[in-house]
Amino acid sequence: MPAKPRDEIRRRRSKGSAKPCPICGKPATEASHPFCSERCRDVDLNRWLSGSYAIPGRKDEDEDAE
């Protein structure tokens, strides 16, 4: 029987192939993945909500016409 996707993820994490926390660089925990703690999860959320992170986009043609 093939492994379930969730089991595969756990197996990969247990081998140490998990990426570090994107905020502080510590090893990520399963409970807060991909972060190491709830604090780092909240820091990331605050950065998104405050506009520190932005996804670049193209200008619309309508904006250029004005």
Side-chain angles (χ1 to χ4, degrees):
M1 177 185 238
K4 294 180 182 177
R6 186 169 275 187
D7 293 337
E8 179 67 19
I9 292 169
R10 286 186 183 135
R11 187 177 60 81
R12 287 182 187 171
R13 286 184 193 161
S14 67
K15 287 186 174 182
S17 62
K19 293 181 181 179
C21 175
I23 303 300
C24 69
K26 293 180 183 176
T29 62
E30 191 169 325
S32 297
H33 188 76
F35 305 99
C36 69
S37 65
E38 290 299 317
R39 180 193 170 280
C40 284
R41 182 187 292 259
D42 290 342
V43 167
D44 184 71
L45 177 61
N46 181 53
R47 289 179 183 174
W48 278 105
L49 295 176
S50 67
S52 295
Y53 294 147
I55 300 172
R58 295 183 296 168
K59 280 189 165 183
D60 289 337
E61 290 181 19
D62 297 336
E63 290 180 17
D64 294 335
E66 291 179 21

